[in-house]
Amino acid sequence: MKNILIAALISFSTFGMTYAGENPKLLKEIKRKVFVDLSKVDLEKNKEEFVIVRFRVTNQQIEVIDISGSREELTEMMMDELEDMVIRTDAKDATTYQYKFKFEKE
């Protein structure tokens, strides 16, 4: 039963990310590490749900400069994920990155 529930949650929504910068390894690492449980979020079928994050990587930690999104609950979930993340990929301390995380209902 537990496996069925997990599979249903994964197929319920997809998670996409758009990168605006020049560090594809960083994008790949963040994409691999971010897991947002959308089981308690009621996404609409034809509405784009997103979170845009501007950040720097300092001492292998993400320092969020600005975060905004279509829903406060998505923004809070992303903030929680990013605050706990340890980044192993080389990232320049002075560089500001911007990612757009997209959430869609399937």
Side-chain angles (χ1 to χ4, degrees):
M1 180 68 176
K2 196 177 217 180
N3 291 340
I4 294 171
L5 178 60
I6 291 171
L9 294 177
I10 291 171
S11 65
F12 173 73
S13 55
T14 60
F15 178 77
M17 190 179 316
T18 304
Y19 177 64
E22 50 186 62
N23 194 336
K25 289 182 181 179
L26 180 60
L27 167 65
K28 186 175 181 178
E29 180 175 356
I30 290 174
K31 188 174 182 178
R32 185 174 40 84
K33 290 182 176 181
V34 168
F35 174 76
V36 178
D37 180 10
L38 298 173
S39 62
K40 297 177 183 166
V41 179
D42 186 26
L43 298 176
E44 295 180 33
K45 182 81 171 161
N46 296 318
K47 183 178 179 189
E48 182 182 67
E49 303 286 359
F50 64 90
V51 174
I52 299 173
V53 182
R54 286 185 44 235
F55 66 93
R56 290 187 194 100
V57 178
T58 307
N59 298 324
Q60 296 184 325
Q61 297 291 313
I62 291 180
E63 176 188 336
V64 175
I65 298 166
D66 186 45
I67 188 167
S68 62
S70 59
R71 290 183 181 215
E72 185 175 337
E73 59 195 321
L74 291 174
T75 303
E76 289 173 7
M77 293 164 111
M78 284 304 305
M79 189 72 173
D80 291 343
E81 284 290 308
L82 296 171
E83 285 178 336
D84 296 335
M85 196 175 293
V86 175
I87 300 297
R88 303 279 183 224
T89 302
D90 289 333
K92 297 177 184 176
D93 286 342
T95 302
T96 299
Y97 299 94
Q98 180 171 309
Y99 287 3
K100 181 176 184 180
F101 299 86
K102 295 180 184 179
F103 303 88
E104 298 174 338
K105 183 176 182 177
E106 286 188 341

